[in-house]
Amino acid sequence: MPKWKLLTEFTFDSAHYIKDYNGPCGRLHGHTYTVRVEAKSSKLYSSEYCPHPVMVADFRTLRWAKKDVTKGGLDHCVLNDVLPAEYATTAEMIAKYIYDETKKRLTPDIHLKVAVSETPNSWAEYEDD
Ligand SMILES: [Zn+2]
């Protein structure tokens, strides 16, 4: 079936440490995280901001994590203090957290993929089956 695919990329700056990690990643340090959010659908929907069914999802909705932490996003925070304890702050778990939080904001049948990068050459992805 033909589909639409949205792809948006953004960055946010935050600090973290990996709990019980034996090495530099165990100490508090920061990254400019790059996030790619991909949303696929064969149907179009209305959004929080638009009453007409003309989009897969609003880009503003897909980019929520870019907002300042005081406005509900992940920018300029210590991720260990903001993510619930079941999410360690590895790139894998940050991708899962952004996936889970984005999923709550979308119609369930939208296929979602979230990729997170801490450094230019390495990515962790989390997506629907
Ligand atoms: Zn790190």
Side-chain angles (χ1 to χ4, degrees):
M1 193 187 296
K3 286 183 171 81
W4 287 273
K5 177 164 103 176
L6 304 187
L7 179 59
T8 187
E9 188 174 297
F10 59 88
T11 62
F12 67 89
D13 298 309
S14 279
H16 82 139
Y17 58 91
I18 309 291
K19 192 174 168 237
D20 301 327
Y21 187 94
N22 181 18
C25 296
R27 298 193 297 266
L28 185 66
H29 63 282
H31 296 285
T32 296
Y33 288 92
T34 304
V35 179
R36 268 187 211 144
V37 178
E38 201 178 291
K40 283 195 245 176
S41 176
S42 53
K43 279 172 62 183
L44 298 180
Y45 302 95
S46 58
S47 83
E48 188 183 340
Y49 308 102
C50 177
H52 311 294
V54 292
M55 50 186 76
V56 173
D58 203 301
F59 282 110
R60 289 167 72 182
T61 304
L62 298 177
R63 295 166 66 85
W64 68 269
K66 185 177 175 54
K67 287 195 239 170
D68 191 86
V69 70
T70 60
K71 294 177 176 150
L74 295 175
D75 192 46
H76 282 77
C77 72
V78 177
L79 291 168
N80 303 69
D81 297 344
V82 172
L83 270 54
E86 69 265 29
Y87 297 93
T89 60
T90 58
E92 289 88 335
M93 291 302 272
I94 296 166
K96 180 173 175 6
Y97 178 71
I98 293 172
Y99 169 97
D100 289 343
E101 291 298 310
T102 306
K103 205 74 179 164
K104 289 179 192 169
R105 294 161 161 85
L106 299 177
T107 309
D109 43 334
I110 294 174
H111 184 284
L112 188 64
K113 174 154 92 177
V114 174
V116 169
S117 170
E118 294 178 343
T119 59
N121 302 318
S122 306
W123 289 85
E125 290 187 348
Y126 193 75
E127 68 177 314
D128 289 315
D129 264 339

